[in-house]
Amino acid sequence: MRRNVWAAVAAGLVVAACGESSVPEIGDGGGGGNGKYDVTVTRTTLGIPHIKADDYASMGYGYGYAFAEDNLCVLQEDLVTIRGERARYFGRDGSYTIIPSGVTANNLDSDFFWRMSTTEERLAPTRENTLPEFKEVTAGFVDGYNRYIRELKSGAHPGRHAACADADWLFEIETDDMYRRYLRLAIIASSTVLMNEIANARPLLSLDKAGEPSEDEKRAALQADPGPLRYFTELRGQRFGSNMYALGREATQDGSSMVFGNPHFPWTGPERLYVAHATIPGELDIMGSSLYGVPAILIGFNDHFAWSHTVSTAYRFGLYELTLNPLNPLQYIYDGEIRDIEQIPITIDVLEADGTISQESRTLYRSHFGPMLVLEVSGIPVLGWTPLKAYTMRDANAENDRLINQFARWNQAESLDEFVRLHGEILGVPWVNTVASGPDGQAYYGDITVVPNVPDSKVTVCQAIPIHAVVQTLVPGLPVLDGSRADCEWDSDPDAPAPGIFGRSNLPTLARNDWVGNFNDSYWLTNPAEPITGYARIIGDEETERTLRTRLGIRQIQQRLDGSDGLAGTGFTLPLLQEVVLSSRILSGELAQQTVLDEICPDVGGDAASACAALAGWNTRAGLDSTGAHVWREFWYVLSGNRGGTGGDYWATPFSADDPVNTPRDLDAGQAAVQEAFEAGAAAVAASGFDFDAPLRDIQHPLAIEDDIPIFGGQFYEGAFTIADSDPLDANGYEVEYGNSYIHTVTWDENGVHAEGFVTYSQSTDPANPHFADYTREYSAKRWHKFPFTPEEIAADRIREYRLSE
């Protein structure tokens, strides 16, 4: 007799004692017990699900169910959004923010953008080309996720997911929702940054009396207000950033290899990372983290290798200037022929204030390159749509149907060599650098990503004059090409898996026996002993100033290898690596604290004098017990202009490509701007109400978790490596909303892989979940936890276990 499903659910929620031999079974999911799915989910300390099945479909089913237990509402809202149904469920007046890019669209603009971007034509390539076994994983995830929704709506799991449990937007999803999610993640660093400009693009039928703005007017407008291009100038490598090292045998004390991974991702929203372990005997055994809604490990480890990612500097799209038919702004000239701009009529449902549903229609537009756009900043159409010219974009990642396959094949790989080979062979990584290593392996780095094949030579002959030069002043390396010529289409490499992108041979890689690392600057200083040069500007810059965070990331390695950091011996052990990466050093403080004390502090009074007194006792770190860390942060925030530690003119010794790790340096404290910044920073501290000598533990806490948890770490602009990002100081302190997220430190010994780490914001976004804040408390205390990997380790650390069948 089949057990009552809800009694089984209750049984499955009971903690399974380590000595139990039976596994509670949670019914058959309403599917009649037809044997479609059969999977065991074991939860270990801090809520990590270990999903074991004999087939891919069941693995996806267990993953989808376990994920829904923890984060149902957050993913569901994102799936509603990329269906283009925000206005239908959340109303005309709401909005939605893509947190990593900082782009906010109102619900209508969001719906129109996603309706055009995720049509059947756009989804079909990814759906059709996904590996058969990961089509099964995707379908299984949907069924497991939907099963949890049915249980919740039928009265199981009382008290859980209050944010959406009774909402009309909590409905069962389809497999295409997952493929939309994959596409949404692929284009997060490209098309979605310009979603408002695409959703509102319209032709201007005639020029007004003022005519077309001049080149100087466009340049001035962009410099005054970069608009969405701010993502590429201010946010890339700062908030949406990461740190990572791969250490080879020459960098460790015992000759082992190690990998440190630490993406800096949002602490709220659907770009959080979720830790899981998937096992299919004989097929895969992989553990690590994934962005919400991706049932494949994106940053992870096993007995054979480990890897991590950081956001790359390469552009994933390019702009084209179209020459229009002067008699019809919906036609453009291409190689002497006239082509029509495609008109795409879209109608969406809109929830009105009185509860009724209305419809709103709009026409969006595409050229053969991609969507049309109009970029207006400071009231000036920098990229306008006049009767003569218009602008369109081609997005390489909108054409990337290999993303899920890249990670799927990595999850299945059985050696570091295979991992490296697949990196260039599949070439589906959308926008991140990669480091990797394995037992007895070299330290490997590659910016093997989807990049438009626009070599510098093509930019020289195809740039759209003068707008290309205007854009370069703000966004160096982003090409604006002449869209009227076929020879200005992107090139194709023979070793690329798709047309229009660079192949592996034209993308940066490095393998060494000591170390490689990246901290969101370009590939150039992956290891200063062997600078990487000679690549197209669209991929990254070379021989240019690095951020303070990059410089600290390199210095930490160099100082550990020569023993000048004050720690034991030279080279790394796993505990020493952990101590280094969470040390919360602030490079700007190391470079300039003494100068401020010596040259500014003797001549100040009032709040500035109190600031000086606090800084005299500051240890140049952002640890929980560091006093005065907030004083320095507020000073540097003003001085640096929130620029990430580059481009300032407040250093006496300028940047030198011959000494890029140690320049610029020597704060020019005599500058009025430096002194004014110090006064302003002191005033900000005074206005906050916090004591100047308060420890950071009293000031910095999570924005959206339990606010009694103190959080260590500093800001990107002050040169922190350990990141805890928030708005500037106010009466609420620093409310961390970004920064260190999933962290792993991995090595190997005779017993296989040994990995320890955190998910800093914990596994669940549901306040009723026991794993809503537990990992955050462990992170606050720097209590590193071993990730259980072997069956014996999992059994020893088990807190709950259940079997799902359908």
Side-chain angles (χ1 to χ4, degrees):
M1 179 182 297
R2 187 185 309 161
R3 299 168 61 196
N4 178 276
V5 65
W6 304 128
V9 168
L13 295 177
V14 175
V15 175
C18 294
E20 289 182 352
S21 58
S22 61
V23 178
E25 181 175 357
I26 307 181
D28 67 8
N34 57 19
K36 184 177 181 181
Y37 301 117
D38 190 1
V39 57
T40 298
V41 178
T42 304
R43 295 273 187 171
T44 54
T45 301
L46 303 169
I48 296 174
H50 302 260
I51 303 154
K52 186 175 181 180
D54 289 331
D55 58 82
Y56 285 93
S58 295
M59 188 269 281
Y61 187 78
Y63 193 114
Y65 186 93
F67 181 85
E69 283 188 289
D70 293 334
N71 299 294
L72 178 66
C73 297
V74 172
L75 180 60
Q76 185 75 13
E77 182 179 352
D78 194 67
L79 297 179
V80 168
T81 298
I82 55 183
R83 276 188 173 201
E85 295 181 350
R86 281 199 69 82
R88 164 64 182 83
Y89 291 103
F90 302 111
R92 176 181 296 275
D93 298 327
S95 63
Y96 188 73
T97 298
I98 307 291
I99 298 175
S101 65
V103 172
T104 298
N106 66 51
N107 287 347
L108 273 67
D109 289 346
S110 174
D111 285 353
F112 284 117
F113 172 82
W114 288 113
R115 287 288 182 91
M116 183 172 78
S117 300
T118 60
T119 61
E120 170 61 20
E121 179 185 3
R122 307 296 158 201
L123 289 183
T126 295
R127 185 177 59 236
E128 293 168 4
N129 293 328
T130 294
L131 293 171
E133 56 266 41
F134 271 78
K135 287 182 181 178
E136 295 177 11
V137 171
T138 299
F141 182 99
V142 169
D143 286 345
Y145 182 91
N146 286 342
R147 172 177 176 163
Y148 187 85
I149 291 175
R150 290 195 300 273
E151 292 178 1
L152 184 68
K153 285 185 172 293
S154 298
H157 319 297
R160 293 291 179 88
H161 310 289
C164 67
D166 298 323
D168 58 355
W169 49 271
L170 181 62
F171 46 75
E172 293 186 35
I173 65 171
E174 302 170 352
T175 55
D176 274 356
D177 290 307
M178 295 292 288
Y179 290 109
R180 289 187 190 96
R181 176 67 178 159
Y182 302 159
L183 177 60
R184 178 245 207 267
L185 293 173
I187 63 175
I188 198 169
S190 45
S191 295
T192 54
V193 179
L194 296 165
M195 64 191 305
N196 289 303
E197 288 65 33
I198 293 169
N200 290 288
R202 303 286 186 278
L204 180 66
L205 298 181
S206 63
L207 290 171
D208 60 23
K209 294 180 181 179
E212 175 78 3
S214 69
E215 179 181 350
D216 288 343
E217 288 173 321
K218 291 181 178 181
R219 181 179 290 108
L222 274 180
Q223 290 173 338
D225 178 8
L229 298 182
R230 180 177 289 107
Y231 168 76
F232 302 105
T233 59
E234 297 178 8
L235 296 181
R236 188 213 302 262
Q238 297 176 12
R239 281 198 158 187
F240 198 16
S242 306
N243 295 324
M244 61 183 182
Y245 296 135
L247 306 177
R249 54 183 174 270
E250 293 179 3
T252 63
Q253 292 186 4
D254 62 0
S256 63
S257 302
M258 297 180 188
V259 171
F260 158 68
N262 179 203
H264 302 153
F265 270 47
W267 283 31
T268 59
E271 274 64 66
R272 289 184 19 148
L273 289 153
Y274 183 73
V275 181
H277 179 194
T279 303
I280 302 175
E283 291 286 335
L284 59 80
D285 192 11
I286 194 76
M287 189 172 186
S289 67
S290 302
L291 291 167
Y292 284 13
V294 182
I297 299 303
L298 304 184
I299 296 177
F301 57 87
N302 60 20
D303 281 332
H304 311 296
F305 54 83
W307 79 98
S308 193
H309 296 300
T310 61
V311 176
S312 160
T313 59
Y315 294 103
R316 311 299 161 181
F317 70 99
L319 300 173
Y320 278 94
E321 181 181 73
L322 302 183
T323 299
L324 302 182
N325 176 0
L327 301 179
N328 185 349
L330 295 177
Q331 293 180 327
Y332 62 104
I333 298 169
Y334 182 79
D335 253 18
E337 298 180 352
I338 291 179
R339 292 193 174 192
D340 290 329
I341 293 174
E342 182 184 1
Q343 302 179 57
I344 305 171
I346 300 171
T347 298
I348 64 172
D349 290 339
V350 181
L351 176 64
E352 302 293 358
D354 63 1
T356 61
I357 302 295
S358 66
Q359 283 73 44
E360 186 151 329
S361 298
R362 189 181 296 181
T363 299
L364 273 61
Y365 303 91
R366 293 182 64 92
S367 71
H368 79 278
F369 296 105
M372 302 293 294
L373 60 96
V374 171
L375 174 60
E376 185 174 291
V377 294
S378 303
I380 292 178
V382 176
L383 301 175
W385 190 341
T386 74
L388 302 177
K389 299 287 185 182
Y391 296 89
T392 184
M393 72 181 298
R394 182 178 176 186
D395 186 338
N397 270 322
E399 305 170 16
N400 177 10
D401 59 14
R402 303 170 307 283
L403 182 151
I404 197 68
N405 288 353
Q406 180 76 73
F407 293 97
R409 291 291 303 280
W410 273 348
N411 286 190
Q412 298 168 325
E414 297 181 348
S415 70
L416 178 63
D417 287 343
E418 184 181 4
F419 179 95
V420 172
R421 176 179 59 79
L422 291 170
H423 197 192
E425 185 177 283
I426 300 174
L427 222 167
V429 175
W431 35 260
V432 287
N433 303 286
T434 302
V435 299
S437 193
D440 303 317
Q442 286 187 302
Y444 166 76
Y445 162 85
D447 190 351
I448 307 295
T449 50
V450 177
V451 185
N453 195 325
V454 185
D456 296 348
S457 58
K458 182 171 287 285
V459 174
T460 299
V461 299
C462 282
Q463 61 183 276
I465 299 173
I467 192 62
H468 175 81
V470 172
V471 170
Q472 296 310 294
T473 61
L474 186 72
V475 195
L478 177 63
V480 186
L481 304 182
D482 183 350
S484 68
R485 297 162 48 189
D487 63 339
C488 292
E489 295 272 7
W490 297 348
D491 292 344
S492 294
D493 283 349
D495 61 342
I501 62 173
F502 285 117
R504 178 184 182 131
S505 60
N506 283 316
L507 293 167
T509 61
L510 184 65
R512 292 179 60 88
N513 291 329
D514 53 359
W515 67 275
V516 295
N518 186 268
F519 323 97
N520 301 117
D521 276 315
S522 76
Y523 52 83
W524 175 49
L525 285 191
T526 295
N527 185 311
E530 191 176 351
I532 303 173
T533 59
Y535 291 90
R537 180 60 185 83
I538 194 173
I539 304 172
D541 54 354
E542 300 170 8
E543 299 188 342
T544 60
E545 184 181 342
R546 307 287 93 173
T547 64
L548 287 170
R549 177 159 59 88
T550 290
R551 292 168 60 189
L552 180 56
I554 294 171
R555 285 162 70 106
Q556 288 179 161
I557 291 277
Q558 292 174 333
Q559 292 168 353
R560 179 80 297 266
L561 294 183
D562 66 19
S564 62
D565 59 2
L567 301 176
T570 60
F572 286 92
T573 62
L574 201 68
L576 285 171
L577 176 61
Q578 293 170 348
E579 185 167 355
V580 166
V581 299
L582 293 189
S583 65
S584 300
R585 291 170 60 180
I586 303 296
L587 183 57
S588 64
E590 295 179 11
L591 295 174
Q593 177 197 34
Q594 196 59 48
T595 301
V596 168
L597 293 173
D598 292 345
E599 300 184 27
I600 293 179
C601 286
D603 299 319
V604 299
D607 291 336
S610 298
C612 287
L615 288 179
W618 179 45
N619 63 359
T620 68
R621 300 192 179 216
L624 293 182
D625 296 317
S626 296
T627 57
H630 59 306
V631 176
W632 187 265
R633 185 180 302 178
E634 294 306 300
F635 160 50
W636 212 261
Y637 176 79
V638 178
L639 181 63
S640 67
N642 195 24
R643 283 193 296 251
T646 62
D649 57 0
Y650 38 82
W651 299 110
T653 301
F655 167 75
S656 169
D658 294 328
D659 190 13
V661 180
N662 299 306
T663 60
R665 64 174 183 271
D666 305 320
L667 183 67
D668 187 357
Q671 284 190 34
V674 176
Q675 297 174 18
E676 290 166 3
F678 189 77
E679 295 275 357
V685 174
S688 74
F690 287 95
D691 292 340
F692 284 90
D693 61 353
L696 193 60
R697 70 168 59 250
D698 293 345
I699 303 171
Q700 188 161 268
H701 54 90
L703 173 67
I705 311 174
E706 293 173 359
D707 62 9
D708 67 328
I709 305 174
I711 301 295
F712 55 87
Q715 287 273 17
F716 56 88
Y717 53 79
E718 60 180 336
F721 184 87
T722 308
I723 299 295
D725 189 15
S726 66
D727 289 335
L729 186 66
D730 62 18
N732 295 317
Y734 294 122
E735 297 180 304
V736 178
E737 55 184 335
Y738 236 103
N740 284 11
S741 53
Y742 170 73
I743 302 174
H744 70 206
T745 54
V746 186
T747 191
W748 297 264
D749 57 26
E750 64 276 5
N751 298 314
V753 69
H754 180 103
E756 299 181 11
F758 303 97
V759 56
T760 61
Y761 34 62
S762 301
Q763 283 281 81
S764 177
T765 49
D766 178 12
N769 191 299
H771 306 298
F772 176 69
D774 53 352
Y775 228 140
T776 309
R777 295 190 182 279
E778 299 304 288
Y779 175 68
S780 173
K782 294 187 182 180
R783 287 190 288 261
W784 290 82
H785 280 260
K786 188 178 190 299
F787 292 122
F789 190 77
T790 67
E792 295 77 17
E793 291 169 344
I794 295 166
D797 199 41
R798 180 178 63 179
I799 60 173
R800 181 162 65 98
E801 188 171 271
Y802 53 86
R803 179 181 172 189
L804 298 163
S805 63
E806 180 174 338

